[in-house]
Amino acid sequence: MKITLIFPRTDPRRGTKIKNHMIPPYGLQLLAALTPPRHEVVLLDQFLQPIDTNLDADLIGISVWTGSAGNAYQLADAFRVRGIPVVLGGPHVAVLPEEARKHADSVVVGEAEAVWAQLLGDFEAGQMAPVYEADPLPLSMTPPARWDIFQQGDYVLRSAVSTSRGCRFRCEFCYESSRPNSTYRRKPLDQVLTEIDSRPGPVIAFLDNDLLSDKKYARSLLEALIPRRKAWMAMTTIRFADDPDMVALAAAAGCKTLFVGFESVSTESLLEVGKRQNRVDIYARNIRRLHDHGIMVNGSFVFGFDHDGPEVFDNTVQFGIDNLLETATFTILTPYPNTGLYKKLQVQGRIFDYNWAHYDTTRVVFEPAMMTIDELEAGLTYAYRKFYSMGSIFSRAFRPGSGALKRLVLNLAYKRIEPVWKTLDLGLSARWIRPVTYWYMSAMSHRLPVARESVQPQLVIE
Ligand code: B12
Ligand code: SF4
């Protein structure tokens, strides 16, 4: 039987094409790995190529994220009109299965590991059920993702690994808060290391929501990574840097860049959405710690909390500049379906836009409390322009210590709004970007002139 798996695209107003060429759709790589070998599997990523709805397949599987749901449903409808059965799964289907069912012959609610092989067997027997509820399994039962279904040059990174599912926290605005059954689980370490060792290339992207906050597991992983001499990027909370020894260990283990969800520089806003693990008063100290060990920080910030007035844009950008963040990602608060935030705003009657295509974190879909909708949207553009202005880029790139050229190139790559970059972006393929990525992820000894904070605290930049 021929099974075609599809990763449908979103229509982001911002963001570069490169971003979607960095990492393959890992969930579908897993689905391919879960498929018994007697079936032929094809994986199509709509970010890379248009989908021909006249293609030939016995069964179609589509991964649905909220932002791509409308597009996914259109594709599904087109295949079903031709009589090709469609199965829908993925994060959006896990929270809104009833909606997805209208466009599918079957939906998988949750992680595919528990039900995919059974679903395929049922399909072959002509008795596929309309819904498969998938209980989370121990991650020891998750196979390594399949990489042989891509062309070597399709994606920039050739190694992406997930060591866990779920999250230890439940921030009100996050997808994690929409999943009552989600439990935080880690993959056995030896399984993770086998996966890492099987992948080529010097760079790994960890896909975990928070790679490092479980200290015991993180320590074992980091120690095991040291002799492997890989460079890697991951997501974590800023509280990870509370422990200087862990930061030193992460650096020794090859950590080059961390995507950190600061979300807000206002304590009131953090408390409002239950992000209690973040503490504004330790942000500067912990960023400095990471920098002292040559770890770049990509700060992620959200605008539009009920405590955010129009001053939030300048305050946030200034924080990023003052703390020499290598890069920053700004987003508009978005009530993803069934999150705590969604339920709260719905009760308050403040969500006015239910077009999921607009749930891409660049558009306002609810009534903000202390700004107009236009002010909030314009503020996002303003923040990007200001943070990625040449003045800001130069001041952050050419700070004391080496690595200025790398910081400069990275910032130009992140400078998303400029039409020039957009034009360049269209012509760049993963093959071209890969050497540049490997270069900036290679030894980044851009340390500030601080030997050890305990020895020379007076050099700390406030
Ligand atoms: C890597 C990643 C990205 C990469 C994507 C690269 C790529 N090509 O996939 C980048 C950085 C580009 C990205 C961008 C965005 N992301 Co993102 N991303 C992730 C992240 C961290 C990992 C995804 C992953 O691989 N997970 C591991 C796999 C195994 O899980 P999975 O995909 O869910 O698949 C399992 C099940 O869902 C199911 N399944 C999935 N598909 C299918 C299909 C079928 C047929 C079946 C049966 C089952 C099935 O089985 C799989 C195995 O168990 C997740 C958070 C997370 N940890 O999951 C967020 C996440 C998916 N992203 C999210 C968001 C919001 C975004 C952005 C909007 C952020 C932004 N501000 O721009 C954009 C949207 C861009 C887009 N592509 O649509 C949300 C989605 C919420 C939602 N309701 O849709 C998540 C959940 C983060 C969060 N906690 O809020 N992201
Ligand atoms: S925002 Fe980050 S820390 Fe909070 S629940 Fe989501 S993944 Fe976890």
Side-chain angles (χ1 to χ4, degrees):
M1 167 162 95
K2 183 170 176 184
I3 303 166
T4 299
L5 304 177
I6 298 176
F7 193 58
R9 61 164 300 140
T10 46
D11 183 21
R13 292 193 300 177
R14 293 198 182 78
T16 56
K17 188 178 166 192
I18 293 165
K19 191 173 159 190
N20 292 302
H21 287 210
M22 286 295 282
I23 304 167
Y26 189 79
L28 291 184
Q29 285 179 278
L30 273 185
L31 208 57
L34 291 164
T35 306
R38 65 178 186 279
H39 303 299
E40 183 193 347
V41 186
V42 175
L43 201 164
L44 302 176
D45 180 347
Q46 204 181 16
F47 283 101
L48 303 192
Q49 67 209 117
I51 305 293
D52 174 8
T53 47
N54 287 315
L55 61 76
D56 181 31
D58 298 304
L59 185 68
I60 302 276
I62 304 181
S63 187
V64 189
W65 295 18
T66 298
S68 66
N71 179 25
Y73 295 156
Q74 268 182 22
L75 287 170
D77 294 346
F79 288 117
R80 295 179 78 211
V81 163
R82 290 184 49 226
I84 303 181
V86 174
V87 181
L88 296 179
H92 187 74
V93 177
V95 290
L96 292 181
E98 288 307 321
E99 175 189 287
R101 272 186 68 178
K102 295 179 197 142
H103 306 272
D105 296 278
S106 179
V107 296
V108 169
V109 184
E111 299 172 9
E113 282 85 339
V115 296
W116 183 240
Q118 185 199 333
L119 180 150
L120 293 178
D122 291 351
F123 177 72
E124 284 181 303
Q127 51 192 29
M128 184 165 71
V131 182
Y132 288 82
E133 298 272 354
D135 287 331
L137 293 180
L139 293 188
S140 54
M141 303 186 66
T142 296
R146 265 188 71 183
W147 288 82
D148 59 323
I149 36 176
F150 306 124
Q151 296 296 317
Q152 204 265 121
D154 281 353
Y155 297 95
V156 174
L157 296 179
R158 300 170 71 195
S159 178
V161 179
S162 169
T163 76
S164 64
R165 294 278 168 82
C167 182
R168 294 169 67 226
F169 305 105
R170 278 279 179 287
C171 309
E172 192 184 58
F173 61 89
C174 177
Y175 172 69
E176 287 302 320
S177 74
S178 63
R179 305 171 67 209
N181 296 338
S182 148
T183 51
Y184 177 61
R185 285 157 296 138
R186 285 144 309 171
K187 209 182 265 185
L189 187 59
D190 50 353
Q191 208 173 315
V192 171
L193 296 173
T194 306
E195 240 175 286
I196 288 173
D197 292 341
S198 71
R199 297 303 311 148
V203 176
I204 309 169
F206 285 104
L207 301 176
D208 305 66
N209 287 318
D210 178 359
L211 182 72
L212 300 167
S213 77
D214 176 349
K215 251 189 178 179
K216 194 165 166 243
Y217 185 88
R219 186 173 281 284
S220 311
L221 173 69
L222 296 175
E223 282 167 357
L225 283 172
I226 293 173
R228 289 175 162 82
R229 304 181 63 80
K230 300 269 187 180
W232 50 270
M233 51 182 88
M235 291 175 280
T236 193
T237 74
I238 193 62
R239 297 304 297 271
F240 151 73
D242 283 356
D243 182 342
D245 291 340
M246 285 297 280
V247 177
L249 185 59
C255 178
K256 300 295 174 197
T257 175
L258 288 177
F259 183 91
V260 175
F262 294 100
E263 325 303 4
S264 179
V265 295
S266 143
T267 301
E268 288 81 9
S269 295
L270 292 171
L271 291 177
E272 172 194 319
V273 287
K275 188 120 190 175
R276 291 192 170 73
Q277 66 274 30
N278 276 14
R279 270 185 38 206
V280 176
D281 58 323
I282 50 95
Y283 281 0
R285 181 200 68 184
N286 285 11
I287 294 169
R288 216 160 40 230
R289 256 178 205 163
L290 294 167
H291 282 164
D292 285 351
H293 286 87
I295 297 174
M296 297 185 272
V297 182
N298 179 358
S300 172
F301 300 93
V302 181
F303 299 133
F305 296 115
D306 281 356
H307 287 84
D308 286 351
E311 72 294 337
V312 69
F313 308 107
D314 274 319
N315 290 348
T316 309
V317 171
Q318 203 51 50
F319 168 86
I321 294 174
D322 290 347
N323 288 283
L324 304 170
L325 292 183
E326 277 75 10
T327 49
T329 301
F330 303 107
T331 57
I332 289 176
L333 185 65
T334 303
Y336 279 92
N338 283 355
T339 54
L341 175 71
Y342 179 90
K343 289 175 188 158
K344 182 174 84 184
L345 292 175
Q346 229 187 11
V347 168
Q348 295 172 351
R350 289 167 63 192
I351 301 179
F352 60 82
D353 186 346
Y354 288 91
N355 178 348
W356 302 136
H358 296 168
Y359 283 55
D360 64 359
T361 73
T362 74
R363 295 173 230 229
V364 182
V365 298
F366 70 100
E367 298 285 350
M370 302 228 301
M371 276 182 271
T372 64
I373 292 159
D374 287 347
E375 274 174 323
L376 184 47
E377 284 207 1
L380 181 73
T381 305
Y382 168 80
Y384 266 117
R385 280 195 195 286
K386 194 169 172 199
F387 188 80
Y388 290 101
S389 67
M390 289 317 282
S392 160
I393 290 181
F394 277 103
S395 73
R396 289 178 293 103
F398 293 100
R399 67 178 197 225
S402 58
L405 183 61
K406 289 183 176 178
R407 288 194 289 273
L408 185 65
V409 170
L410 185 62
N411 268 275
L412 293 175
Y414 261 79
K415 196 170 160 52
R416 299 158 180 214
I417 291 167
E418 305 297 326
V420 176
W421 178 258
K422 287 251 173 201
T423 313
L424 272 177
D425 188 26
L426 290 176
L428 292 174
S429 79
R431 262 184 218 280
W432 283 87
I433 305 297
R434 188 179 294 151
V436 181
T437 307
Y438 285 3
W439 167 72
Y440 86 73
M441 288 290 285
S442 62
M444 264 297 279
S445 54
H446 63 278
R447 287 173 196 173
L448 295 174
V450 182
R452 275 193 75 89
E453 57 190 295
S454 52
V455 182
Q456 291 181 300
Q458 71 275 23
L459 286 182
V460 159
I461 302 159
E462 288 296 350

